[in-house]
Amino acid sequence: MKHAMGLVAAVLWLALSGIAQADCTAGAKKPAWAAQVPEVRFGFTTPETSTAARTGFSQFTDFMCRKLGIPAKVFNASDYNGVAQAMFANQIDVALVGPSNYAMMWTQTKGKVEPILTNLEIDGSKGYFSVLFVKASSPFRKLADLKGKTLAYADVNSTSGYLFPRHAMRAEGIIPDTFFGSPLLAGGHDQGVIAVAKGQADAGVTWASGVGDPAEGYSRGILRRLADQKLVDMKNLRIIWKAGPIVNGPVVVRTALPPAFKEALVKAMTDLPKENPSAFKAVVSGDSPGFTRVSHADYQVIVDMRKAEEAARRGGR
């Protein structure tokens, strides 16, 4: 029953959130693999709904349609589980997800999904950081100051907003479930930031590129995006701890898709930042020079980390 409800939720998510383009394949010769992949459906885990973002995603579908020669659709979810359930149900073909979400998908499907690309940071690296932040007006200056305080996690399937900081804290001798007060699952990265800004939590964890000025929310990440949208003022927040780097989240495809389609997809995604920078920026949520190849081996450490986290939670650590 639980699984069925998850599939229903995924269907509703897809029905309400799809962004499609007018037919851009009229008169074009379809690739040989199009009989197996008549259209390509992309899933993203971002709550971004601004006009600029919607325009960027619309441009992305147009671009991918022209490049691949088949109709393209984008489905957007604010919940990590939504895109995973859609992938499980074969309702999407490609997804850009966080490392922990990929690890969950790979484990639960027994390897029926694979990573093909990830985006680079502006310094050429392919990693990002989990950052812990507090209100600038608070007395908290370091992690040890938060003993007994409320920490807002983004989502249990988030790498930077749950899995990685807990792992890093345990490595520093801090047991999160006993060190902090009652945990707060904010329901998303944006919600966690807003909870701290409004004083509903003492601290929060989210993701940031770790490149650039922390006072501006770095070059890419949730803090930077919310600051750019004037939803938070970085002068009112202070980053006091970070952990990483974490390999950037992958572009994931279903393993059963034709190899020729996957190669065409890699080529199209690689061309995206050069040929349509605004669409690329919407897809990766910020500034990046482009994509680079990855494989499952790049994320095995995250798979192992999820297993360790589950064992630690069962053991009360």
Side-chain angles (χ1 to χ4, degrees), residues 248-276:
N248 282 337
V251 176
V252 177
V253 300
R254 289 191 285 112
T255 306
L257 293 171
F261 164 76
K262 296 176 193 175
E263 287 305 310
L265 176 65
V266 167
K267 177 65 166 60
M269 296 291 280
T270 301
D271 289 343
L272 179 63
K274 299 188 294 286
E275 298 183 20
N276 198 320

Side-chain angles (χ1 to χ4, degrees), residues 26-302:
K29 183 179 179 181
K30 290 194 177 297
W33 45 259
Q36 296 169 268
V37 192
E39 68 175 7
V40 58
R41 302 159 299 175
F42 294 87
F44 294 91
T45 53
T46 170
E48 179 65 273
T49 58
S50 69
T51 300
R54 290 190 65 84
T55 298
F57 281 122
S58 179
Q59 292 174 348
F60 175 75
T61 58
D62 289 340
F63 178 87
M64 298 308 293
C65 179
R66 291 194 306 272
K67 282 287 186 176
L68 296 173
I70 55 174
K73 295 178 180 177
V74 163
F75 301 105
N76 206 355
S78 60
D79 178 84
Y80 284 97
N81 195 48
V83 73
Q85 290 295 333
M87 185 69 89
F88 296 157
N90 291 337
Q91 293 174 332
I92 56 175
D93 309 295
V94 186
L96 202 159
V97 299
S100 183
N101 206 15
Y102 162 69
M104 176 187 71
M105 293 163 66
W106 184 85
T107 301
Q108 293 190 7
T109 64
K110 296 181 173 22
K112 292 182 180 179
V113 296
E114 61 181 297
I116 56 172
L117 294 167
T118 194
N119 64 281
L120 296 167
E121 297 302 338
I122 59 174
D123 64 350
S125 65
K126 61 178 181 180
Y128 68 110
F129 290 81
S130 173
V131 295
L132 187 148
F133 57 95
V134 297
K135 290 186 74 170
S137 60
S138 76
F140 313 124
R141 295 285 173 176
K142 56 186 183 300
L143 190 58
D145 295 339
L146 292 170
K147 184 172 178 59
K149 305 302 180 182
T150 301
L151 176 64
Y153 295 111
D155 186 296
V156 293
N157 287 313
S158 169
T159 314
S160 61
Y162 187 82
L163 179 67
F164 202 91
R166 289 172 61 85
H167 170 82
M169 287 175 194
R170 283 195 290 268
E172 293 185 16
I174 291 176
I175 309 305
D177 290 336
T178 57
F179 180 79
F180 296 103
S182 299
L184 171 65
L185 286 172
H189 286 275
D190 290 37
Q191 295 94 318
V193 175
I194 299 302
V196 174
K198 290 186 174 181
Q200 297 166 346
D202 297 303
V205 280
T206 189
W207 74 272
S209 67
V211 180
D213 188 353
E216 295 179 356
Y218 294 104
S219 64
R220 197 171 71 92
I222 300 298
L223 297 173
R224 179 59 182 264
R225 177 167 60 75
L226 293 179
D228 287 348
Q229 293 176 349
K230 311 299 184 186
L231 295 176
V232 298
D233 187 337
M234 282 303 296
K235 292 180 180 178
N236 297 327
L237 296 174
R238 181 171 61 247
I239 296 169
I240 65 170
W241 181 83
K242 71 176 184 177
I246 311 161
V247 64
N248 282 337
V251 176
V252 177
V253 300
R254 289 191 285 112
T255 306
L257 293 171
F261 164 76
K262 296 176 193 175
E263 287 305 310
L265 176 65
V266 167
K267 177 65 166 60
M269 296 291 280
T270 301
D271 289 343
L272 179 63
K274 299 188 294 286
E275 298 183 20
N276 198 320
S278 60
F280 175 67
K281 187 171 184 176
V283 167
V284 301
S285 298
D287 296 324
S288 165
F291 288 107
T292 188
R293 293 262 195 171
V294 287
S295 68
H296 177 75
D298 292 292
Y299 298 95
Q300 184 61 52
V301 64
I302 304 298

